[in-house]
Amino acid sequence: MASTLITVAPTGAEHLKADWPQLPTTLEELLAEAKACEAAGAGLIHVHIRDAEHRPSLDLGRLRECVAALRESTSLVVQLSTGGSVHDPLERRLAVLDAAPDSCSLTCGSVNFGDDVFLNPWPFIVDLFDKARYLGIVPEFELFDLGHVHAMARLVRERGLPAGGALHCDLVLGVPGGLPATPQALAAAVAVLPPEVTSWSATGLGRGHLPIMSAALAFGGHVRVGLEDNTMYATGRPVTGSHELVARAARVAAELQRPAMTTAQARDLLHLS
Ligand code: KMH
Ligand code: ZN
């Protein structure tokens, strides 16, 4: 039976701790959430860290400490965000790879991000791709728009496959400026994925969370959930922790005969040694 990779994105860079106290912004909180998410069925954790004031951070020392602690406490695939926040300079985002995670996010183009711009110029994409491959870090290509799908295809055709040879991407729908979080938009993006793609997941922001999770499973994809993307479990009922969203995704996937992958299966899927 085919199984489902459940990625959890527990923190992100956008939500404020003051507004969402359940957001794991300290290392201790992140480790507790990661363990609960692994127990609930997550295979991979997409990590943004925060500083002592709960602000988004790309501090290399903190990133290294976080990678080591997650590896010690869980067997989750550890993916560091190279997207950071919209305010992070490109050089600091590139330096994230020096923390040596298993995987890194790699966004394949710029996109309006609410009132801001999430900047990903082509030379930066190439630098990230080359550095990740040199270091043996497996990228997950983040695709916020249809043009990003074509940029990913151009990247692998011009530069070859990433470390390990698998090609995993994640469709992010619902950012104001990118693809809307509708099954129709997801179908359009899936239809133009290049043949080199070996696996894909999807996440829908906010109200798009459930429609995109359901559609991704129906289309044979994997899913990403977590407070980074969605703070409400149901109308009027905030998420108490990302593990709740992982548990629900695992239940739905099991009912659809696509049970949650183990972390070992997740490593196989991504060709991680
Ligand atoms: N925080 C967004 C600006 C990623 O992690 O690679 C970018 C983001 C994507 O979250
Ligand atoms: Zn992220």
Side-chain angles (χ1 to χ4, degrees), residues 34-143:
K35 284 189 223 174
C37 288
E38 181 176 6
L44 185 155
I45 185 165
H46 168 85
V47 178
H48 291 251
I49 61 162
R50 301 289 178 103
D51 67 12
E53 275 75 50
H54 311 286
R55 294 172 305 208
S57 167
L58 295 181
D59 179 83
L60 207 44
R62 277 181 180 264
L63 285 169
R64 287 195 174 113
E65 187 186 9
C66 179
V67 170
L70 282 168
R71 285 196 176 129
E72 200 171 301
S73 314
T74 76
S75 60
L76 292 163
V77 176
V78 179
Q79 178 183 95
L80 290 183
S81 166
T82 65
S85 89
V86 289
H87 308 294
D88 287 320
L90 299 180
E91 320 80 69
R92 302 212 59 208
R93 290 170 50 196
L94 191 62
V96 164
L97 299 183
D98 297 327
D102 304 314
S103 172
C104 65
S105 59
L106 197 167
T107 298
C108 291
S110 300
V111 63
N112 283 325
F113 204 89
D115 293 345
D116 298 299
V117 176
F118 179 31
L119 194 65
N120 294 284
W122 180 254
F124 173 68
I125 293 171
V126 173
D127 284 351
L128 255 182
F129 180 84
D130 287 348
K131 183 171 176 180
R133 186 164 55 186
Y134 177 74
L135 294 172
I137 298 166
V138 171
E140 175 184 277
F141 297 95
E142 308 295 337
L143 311 172

Side-chain angles (χ1 to χ4, degrees), residues 224-238:
R224 170 172 131 170
V225 302
L227 274 164
E228 172 169 346
D229 302 335
N230 173 37
T231 52
M232 302 302 287
Y233 190 86
T235 306
R237 203 296 232 161

